[in-house]
Amino acid sequence: MNTSRRLIWLASSVGGAAVAVVLARRLVFNRQRARREALASAQLLADASLGIKSGVWGLRLRHDPNAPLLSQAHGSQGETPIDPTVFQQVADGHGAFGHWIVDANGLPAYVYELDNRRNRLAYYVNSQGLDRRDHWHQIGNDRVTGLACNDGVVQLFLADRGGILLNRYAPEADAPHTLAGYLGAVLTTLVRIYHQARAQYFRWRTRDKIVPRGVNPLAPAAQEHLDAETEYAYAGGYSYLSDGVETWATAHRFAPRVAKTHRVFGAGYFESETIHRDIHYSRRVYAPYGDQPALLSDVTIANVGQAPVSLRCYEYWDVNIHQLRVQWVRSGAFAADGDARRALINSRYKPVIAPDLDGQALRFRQQRYAEPPLTDEELRGFVDPNPPDVFLANLSGPALPPADAYFDKRAFFGNGGPLEPEAVRHNLPGGTDDPEPGDSMPYCLVLRHDLHLEPGETVRLRFACGALPQPEQSLAFLDQFRHDQEPLAQTLAAWKKQIAYFSTGISQALQRETSWHAYNLLAATLYSEFYRTHYTPQGAAYLYLHGADGAPRDQALFVLPLVYVRPALAREMLILLMRMRSAATGALPYSFVGHGAHDNALGLHAGPSDLDLFFLLAIGEYLAATGDRAFLREEYELNQPGRPPAPGPKLTVLQHIQAAFDHLEGRGLGPHDLLVMGTGDWDDAIVATRTIRPDFDRERTIRQGESIPNSQMALYILPLVANLIAAHDPDLARRMRGMAGTLRGALLHQWDDRNGWFYRAWVWYRLGGNDLVGDSTLSLQAQVWPLISGLAAEMGIEDQLIATLCGQLDDDSPTGPMLEPKGQIWPAVSQLLTWGYRRSRPDLAWRSLNRHSFGVHASAFPSVWFNIWTGPDGTNSDRMANPGGTWASPVTPMTDFPGMNANQDAMALLGLLRVCGVEPPPGGDGLLIAPKGPPDRFVLRTELLNLDVAPGRISGEYRAANDGAITLHVVVPADAVEVTATVNGALVTGVGSRQIDLPLQFVKGQGSRST
């Protein structure tokens, strides 16, 4: 039966006029075949979505008529429209800690319901052996990140001049949980005594040596110094209430046992509620959308009782500056020593606090002592010698001014601690009590409001807590967030417009997770003052424990989905990568830290061998998808290491591409014509794990050992980038193609036909010479790029390789393919397999995408809190100890910060794009649009590209991110006949029967809507 369908591509044209490209075709369908494929797809969805073989996710449609829509995906000839912006409740994938909902903004949110302080289910394994039960959610904008904890507290983080927590949460230590925990507690006590002695010595050296920096009207005379230990570090982001009879905290951890509490982790906010003594208190903490260094809190207090209430409300935020000076050994008891050393940084400053905004705000700063002078770590950019000011401001309006202000922690809390601070319980006045001598962080920020509420009456307050990176910066920017404005509504609306959407009309879990992953990825955005760019950090233990951002390969991977989700941010991150390249060595650093500093992890990662490839991969995706060829002519400086680091000479983007290839080429090829290994690439375990063997020749392996995964990766990247730059630098393109040709020939010999997989590496031993790694154990790292690049298909071993991967790594793993048999799942690699599967087995690609989802992990491991709404970079398979958990090495305890890793979010979005058939074509001149089911019906919406795909029809919209030109290569299904195309009603000639090439020219911001 012949069926007519339309294929509509709506794109932009020069001059702003919309161009409608209408492709009409008559398709011949086999109805029985279509029915079989539909049934198979539905069964695959049921199995793959859960990652187990029992049960299916319940489906229930619900449409909110008040929710604003981006646009309505159209159907044809009775086809049911799909609106990916309308979410529905999902029955599974919640885990044991709460459940997913659709919030009032029409977006996914997680209601956290577990009483984590009393329920042992909240405990998770950590390297310190402590009874850890804190779980958290990320809120953020383009400048700051808030860590919203299930305890009800919020920490504030920014990275303008290096990672810094402004109010680090350090309540009473968790109880030891294991023998290691008890031993660690003893060691921690010894470390504390040592650092207290150091602080006493410093106090003696710096007596009476204070740098004058203005008059402080509130604080006492300058104290002589500080201690390494901080007390009363309760983070803040909550209130204390007193009705004259009882005092209570609104944070879950400190609230009365009989109080009713409620916590929601939302897209753009953290919501908490406390009901106690007929007072209904609710708070939303959020980062206003944009580039503002602040968190806002909207507080609503309602009297739900029958009698009037006079209530005192104390808005509480701590000040506990914690500069994350890079530290590479953070496991177990080493963490306590590292924290104490970081606390000692504060010993260089006198704490100062003062009112601002005519008494509507408190402002804290650190005033540097005259001695010692700037340290080497400050001169080299590892530590910021001018930490930002911290403020708390009342934005509730002139009718609700603060009644008093409190800032001395000891005076505020007294013997009452975080449950009943003495100043609240006894209604003490604020004032100028002297801080305890020798305390580096004696201050908190507290504003009190005195309220009277009749029965049924409600009062609304608003506060801002944030940082001022420039010492003399004014708080006037807060005017835009005052009581008569609606920053929360504006923020939520902006998030709803910015995030990505995807729906098949069936898989509500993937619909939810696409938008959630997009939110997480974008909410992690930070700003680097040194590089003058915004960027997405890798996060997790690398950033929040080590204090490092790295390696740049992760930023390069994040660029791939960001090209579609937020092209401007992808562009900034490419600029960041270029500005990080060393003018002295031509290399990208393993990690960037502080204010322009680089670090190679104690020399363990001094020579990464894959960073140039990752940069080329990222810039290839950006240039192909956006057509931004003018970018090649822009100039960006290199990095000039020194004391302090400084911008180096400028290169054009094209020259930066050349510098990357020159550095890659300069490292040379090994004896087997493969890229040399170095140390510190993604597969760094090869060098690290064999270093302890007495017969292993580490130095020669670093110089001449060869990486098979890197060589395979280059086989995809180099031809693509060569095609992109050929018209601008034909000689460079020729060199890239030449290296790719050499690598292709060498890689043909790295296939193990006996085992059915590719080897992993060549290394050196002192007596035996060079030898293979990967001839006895299958490594996923060496298998993904042969599928992506087409090498496996060219060799005729694609089916055999896929069968090996499925049989040993994938089929029996409910949460995605493992790195090795009975190993872990790392999305940075395993989602690349999703892409690789897509070449010839779209059914396996679809299964892989589903199995990687948070919903699947929550169903398979419901009592593991991470990988439900946030996660680490790698999780344990069900074959390992601590199944569903994560890893810890002697250096890196991912177990201790198992969330907010952007790899989980970025790679999920990349896997989705590839499953939908979106990627650069081999020629690099635009985008290949080649959807082939499953799923055979879906709608995808991103800032750059929209797709609406159904059997016999593809429609879409391309929205220009810049001036430029691309070609859309739309692949026509194999059973299509009589393909025609028109542009603005005019017939397009030369249309092929299998691929339609649509050249587009555009200027930034142009686009058109589907009809």
Side-chain angles (χ1 to χ4, degrees), residues 531-849:
Y531 296 109
R532 305 185 304 286
T533 61
H534 295 90
Y535 69 98
T536 302
Q538 188 182 12
Y542 304 111
L543 177 60
Y544 294 100
L545 298 184
H546 284 313
D549 253 320
R553 74 175 62 91
D554 295 284
Q555 275 76 37
L557 281 175
F558 305 159
V559 165
L560 303 186
L562 285 172
V563 165
Y564 305 89
V565 176
R566 194 175 172 190
L569 180 56
R571 196 178 196 271
E572 282 196 77
M573 290 175 65
L574 289 170
I575 296 170
L576 168 74
L577 293 174
M578 289 184 281
R579 285 176 170 158
M580 279 197 291
R581 188 174 296 279
S582 171
T585 66
L588 285 170
Y590 172 72
S591 69
F592 58 105
V593 301
H595 187 56
H598 294 167
D599 200 281
N600 59 22
L602 307 175
L604 297 175
H605 300 312
S609 55
D610 59 351
L611 300 183
D612 298 310
L613 288 171
F614 276 98
F615 167 70
L616 293 173
L617 172 68
I619 202 162
E621 185 96 19
Y622 175 80
L623 292 173
T626 65
D628 189 6
R629 298 301 189 270
F631 189 44
L632 292 171
R633 299 188 295 273
E634 295 182 9
E635 293 185 338
Y636 298 100
E637 61 274 16
L638 296 166
N639 178 270
Q640 189 70 54
R643 301 171 71 248
K650 287 186 176 182
L651 301 178
T652 65
V653 173
L654 182 60
Q655 289 170 329
H656 276 281
I657 293 173
Q658 179 177 345
F661 183 73
D662 286 347
H663 186 261
L664 178 71
E665 189 179 49
R667 295 180 58 87
L669 303 180
H672 302 89
D673 283 338
L674 300 169
L675 292 174
V676 294
M677 182 179 302
T679 178
D681 69 2
W682 206 98
D683 200 9
D684 55 11
I686 290 177
V687 176
T689 57
R690 284 166 172 75
T691 295
I692 61 174
R693 293 180 51 170
D695 61 334
F696 182 67
D697 193 332
R698 183 177 186 273
E699 294 305 316
R700 189 167 184 182
T701 295
I702 292 172
R703 293 194 314 270
Q704 293 182 289
E706 295 163 285
S707 170
I708 293 170
N710 289 357
S711 302
Q712 296 165 335
M713 183 180 176
L715 202 58
Y716 168 81
I717 295 168
L718 294 181
L720 174 63
V721 177
N723 290 335
L724 281 162
I725 66 168
H728 307 276
D729 192 335
D731 180 64
L732 179 58
R734 177 189 57 77
R735 290 165 54 203
M736 287 183 174
R737 290 170 180 146
M739 177 179 279
T742 301
L743 294 174
R744 175 178 282 102
L747 287 168
L748 296 175
H749 304 291
Q750 310 310 314
W751 169 255
D752 185 348
D753 193 58
R754 176 178 58 88
N755 286 311
W757 66 61
F758 281 92
Y759 302 122
R760 184 175 171 187
W762 288 91
V763 299
W764 287 84
Y765 295 95
R766 291 186 175 88
L767 298 179
N770 61 346
D771 199 6
L772 278 167
V773 177
D775 56 343
S776 59
T777 302
L778 171 61
S779 171
L780 181 61
Q781 297 172 79
Q783 320 308 321
V784 293
W785 288 105
L787 294 173
I788 293 170
S789 68
L791 176 65
E794 177 186 332
M795 294 173 62
I797 47 88
E798 186 176 30
D799 291 343
Q800 184 182 359
L801 176 57
I802 289 176
T804 299
L805 297 178
C806 288
Q808 298 194 38
L809 302 180
D810 199 358
D811 282 350
D812 295 330
S813 175
T815 54
M818 300 171 286
L819 277 182
E820 295 181 355
K822 300 181 181 180
Q824 295 180 323
I825 294 94
W826 290 68
V829 175
S830 54
Q831 286 282 23
L832 293 177
L833 181 59
T834 303
W835 181 5
Y837 277 152
R838 179 59 177 61
R839 292 284 185 256
S840 63
R841 292 294 303 274
D843 58 325
L844 294 179
W846 178 240
R847 183 184 74 171
S848 179
L849 183 71

Side-chain angles (χ1 to χ4, degrees), residues 102-171:
V102 180
D103 67 10
N105 193 39
L107 291 179
Y110 192 82
V111 179
Y112 190 99
E113 298 172 308
L114 190 75
D115 186 349
N116 55 294
R117 304 318 306 172
R118 300 176 181 90
N119 192 321
R120 289 285 303 156
L121 192 64
Y123 165 79
Y124 59 98
V125 173
N126 58 87
S127 73
Q128 296 173 289
L130 301 177
D131 189 13
R132 290 279 300 273
R133 306 186 188 194
D134 52 325
H135 313 152
W136 54 90
H137 165 59
Q138 173 181 270
I139 52 179
N141 57 18
D142 287 352
R143 182 57 67 95
V144 298
T145 300
L147 285 69
C149 185
N150 56 358
D151 281 342
V153 305
V154 181
Q155 298 177 84
L156 184 56
F157 178 87
L158 77 161
D160 288 41
R161 295 193 295 269
I164 183 170
L165 285 162
L166 303 180
N167 59 332
R168 182 172 183 262
Y169 187 38

Side-chain angles (χ1 to χ4, degrees), residues 449-466:
H449 280 82
D450 294 344
L451 309 171
H452 181 83
L453 292 90
E454 294 294 328
E457 187 178 359
T458 297
V459 173
R460 291 177 174 83
L461 305 173
R462 178 173 297 154
F463 303 93
C465 182

